[in-house]
């Protein structure tokens, strides 16, 4: 219950913050756009790594995405979170890019998900979660791997994943459900 | 438990599932671990990069060739926030206790001071909103 409430507050604060920054950017404040980039760059870079598999191309991809976002910022109406809108631009840019690798590299294989400020217990839980996501991905058609990453690593809900990728929401839901079951089993083993 | 696993992020937990969780210690522990695991995995991608990041500077220069990175420095440090806050409160005390003000004016001045304090707090919160977002996320992880 408390978790739900805090989740709602967090989402509302993020929504308000991003819409204020978007409005300031549209009024010509470049610093506001710099703040938006600072807040969302890590996610776009991570998506770039998954599609391009090297930092130089991922960096070019980040620049490409943010320049597109800046150019089309006036079309952001606030119907979804700014992060979802930005991820949709990023996903379409990656899919349409000629440089991208054919196979998607799951984020669970990457060191980008390592956080330096975690306790050993947190690191263990994070590792188990990465393993669970990877196990679930192994049983999936490859194109759905990105959906699991979006849910678990990018913290995006089902409907928004559907808006970004265009995959049916029920398919996304069932793949994520399977991943959650694997995760639960792994976490049960941890406490035993 | 399967019904809980079907839920989306931020989706309201149905009342019967909530009731079950209240009485089933094992499921409660599993739910708590699951939400902690999901939070922990997504946390690294939510960490903001510094404003002085090279990619950000390059993008800003592409958008605006006149752009100077000096403007990206944080204009107000925490020390300045504290000093200005303390000075504001001191000024209010000095003002209130050093003058004989009529009762009508007293109410008006109190309202002005209250307005100043609210503006100060709102400016502080919105200037440091990342800190508060992070704080809420930490509380959520702990819950």
């Amino acid at each position: 219950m408390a978790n739900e409430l805090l989740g709602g507050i967090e989402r509302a604060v993020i929504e308000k913050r991003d819409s204020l920054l978007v409005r300031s950017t549209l009024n010509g404040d470049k610093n506001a756009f710099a703040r938006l980039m600072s807040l969302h760059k890590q996610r776009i870079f991570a998506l770039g790594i998954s599609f391009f598999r090297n930092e130089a191309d991922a960096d070019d991809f980040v620049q490409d995405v943010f320049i597109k976002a800046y150019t089309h910022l006036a079309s952001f109406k606030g119907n979804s979170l700014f992060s979802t809108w930005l991820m949709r631009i990023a996903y379409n840019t990656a899919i349409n890019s000629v440089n991208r690798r054919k196979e998607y590299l799951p984020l669970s294989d990457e060191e980008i998900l390592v956080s330096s400020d975690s306790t050993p217990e947190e690191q263990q839980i994070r590792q188990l979660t990465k393993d669970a996501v990877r196990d679930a991905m192994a049983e999936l058609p490859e194109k759905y791997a990105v959906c699991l990453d979006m849910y678990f690593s990018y913290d995006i809900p089902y409907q928004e994943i559907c808006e970004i990728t265009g995959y049916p929401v029920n398919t996304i839901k069932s793949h994520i459900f399977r991943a959650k079951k694997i995760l639960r089993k792994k976490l049960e083993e941890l406490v035993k | 438990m399967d019904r809980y696993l079907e839920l989306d992020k931020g989706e309201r937990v149905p009342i019967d599932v909530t009731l079950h969780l209240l009485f089933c210690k094992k499921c409660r522990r599993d739910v708590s671990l699951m939400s902690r695991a999901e939070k922990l995995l997504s946390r690294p991608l939510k960490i903001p990069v510094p404003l002085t990041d090279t990619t950000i500077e390059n993008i800003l220069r592409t958008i605006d060739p006149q752009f100077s990175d000096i403007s990206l420095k944080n204009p107000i440090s925490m020390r300045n926030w504290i000093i200005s806050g303390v000075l504001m409160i001191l000024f209010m005390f000095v003002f209130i206790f050093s003058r004989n003000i009529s009762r009508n004016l007293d109410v008006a001045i109190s309202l002005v001071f209250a307005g100043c304090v609210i503006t100060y707090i709102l400016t502080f919160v919105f200037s440091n909103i990342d800190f508060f977002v992070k704080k809420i996320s930490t509380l959520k992880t702990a819950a």
Side-chain angles (χ1 to χ4, degrees):
Chain A
M1 211 61 155
N3 218 358
E4 270 174 62
L5 186 68
L6 286 167
I9 296 172
E10 183 186 31
R11 199 183 154 90
V13 172
I14 290 173
E15 202 173 340
K16 190 76 199 155
R17 175 198 69 193
D18 286 355
S19 79
L20 282 173
L21 289 171
V22 168
R23 215 177 307 152
S24 301
T25 308
L26 288 171
N27 288 333
D29 181 359
K30 301 279 184 311
N31 280 0
F33 191 61
R35 299 264 299 124
L36 278 174
M37 288 194 281
S38 137
L39 293 163
H40 299 285
K41 188 207 157 185
Q42 197 76 312
R43 291 153 68 93
I44 307 300
F45 181 75
L47 194 73
I49 287 287
S50 290
F51 277 106
F52 299 95
R53 308 260 184 105
N54 71 75
E55 290 198 10
D57 282 346
D59 261 333
D60 289 345
F61 169 72
V62 170
Q63 297 202 29
D64 206 7
V65 169
F66 279 118
I67 289 169
K68 271 188 191 167
Y70 183 79
T71 319
H72 297 103
L73 201 58
S75 69
F76 173 68
K77 301 287 176 220
N79 300 330
S80 60
L81 285 179
F82 175 77
S83 56
T84 308
W85 181 79
L86 188 66
M87 278 300 272
R88 199 180 311 144
I89 294 180
Y91 181 77
N92 288 332
T93 307
I95 289 289
N96 295 325
S97 171
V98 283
N99 290 338
R100 83 171 166 98
R101 300 295 176 98
K102 281 225 158 54
E103 303 129 42
Y104 175 87
L105 179 74
L107 264 186
S108 45
D109 290 347
E110 282 295 313
E111 286 307 298
I112 208 159
L113 291 179
V114 173
S115 179
S116 52
D117 62 344
S118 9
T119 62
E121 192 206 0
E122 285 178 341
Q123 281 171 18
Q124 199 181 358
I125 294 175
R126 185 181 286 127
Q127 190 53 50
L128 280 175
T129 316
K130 282 164 81 172
D131 292 346
V133 174
R134 198 185 297 127
D135 289 356
M137 279 177 182
E139 296 167 15
L140 281 184
E142 200 192 295
K143 61 177 186 172
Y144 290 112
V146 68
C147 298
L148 291 196
D149 265 349
M150 282 191 182
Y151 187 87
F152 288 100
S153 307
Y154 295 88
D155 201 18
I156 304 176
Y158 303 143
Q159 189 55 46
E160 291 179 20
I161 298 173
C162 163
E163 282 169 31
I164 294 167
T165 59
Y167 296 137
V169 75
N170 282 334
T171 315
I172 294 169
K173 223 170 157 177
S174 72
H175 291 322
I176 291 168
F177 177 71
R178 204 174 310 149
K180 282 182 178 176
K181 281 193 120 175
I182 298 173
L183 174 61
R184 186 193 175 196
K185 215 169 157 194
K186 284 195 184 285
L187 291 172
E188 262 178 0
E189 283 160 18
L190 173 79
V191 284
K192 266 178 195 167
Chain B
M1 190 63 190
D2 279 3
R3 286 191 58 206
Y4 178 83
L5 297 184
E6 281 171 6
L7 294 175
D8 196 0
K9 286 183 187 294
E11 195 175 339
R12 185 176 291 276
V13 183
I15 190 80
D16 52 331
V17 179
T18 310
L19 281 174
H20 172 75
L21 290 176
L22 272 175
F23 296 106
C24 177
K25 198 177 168 190
K26 184 182 170 293
C27 287
R28 205 165 56 235
R29 187 203 61 205
D30 285 358
V31 164
S32 153
L33 268 174
M34 290 278 297
S35 52
R36 198 161 164 219
E38 284 181 31
K39 269 280 120 204
L40 283 171
L41 197 65
S42 63
R43 197 201 278 169
L45 291 186
K46 289 182 173 170
I47 299 168
V49 297
L51 286 172
T52 46
D53 179 85
T54 331
T55 317
I56 292 182
E57 286 180 5
N58 287 342
I59 297 168
L60 289 171
R61 278 201 195 89
T62 312
I63 292 167
D64 177 12
Q66 315 279 299
F67 172 78
S68 138
D69 57 358
I70 298 162
S71 56
L72 284 181
K73 306 278 184 278
N74 193 3
I76 307 168
S77 68
M78 191 52 76
R79 192 172 140 262
N80 289 350
W81 275 112
I82 294 169
I83 292 172
S84 55
V86 170
L87 284 177
M88 183 176 73
I89 291 165
L90 273 178
F91 170 77
M92 287 175 186
F93 272 105
V94 170
F95 191 87
I96 289 165
F97 292 113
S98 65
R99 309 182 97 187
N100 272 336
I101 313 162
S102 75
R103 200 172 168 76
N104 284 345
L105 212 56
D106 203 11
V107 175
I109 288 169
S110 303
L111 286 174
V112 171
F113 283 173
C116 290
V117 173
I118 290 167
T119 311
Y120 175 86
I121 292 170
L122 286 179
T123 317
F124 175 75
V125 169
F126 278 99
S127 311
N128 298 282
I129 201 146
D130 297 338
F131 169 80
F132 291 101
V133 169
K134 210 184 251 179
K135 210 72 193 156
I136 294 168
S137 298
T138 316
L139 280 173
K140 215 173 116 189
T141 311

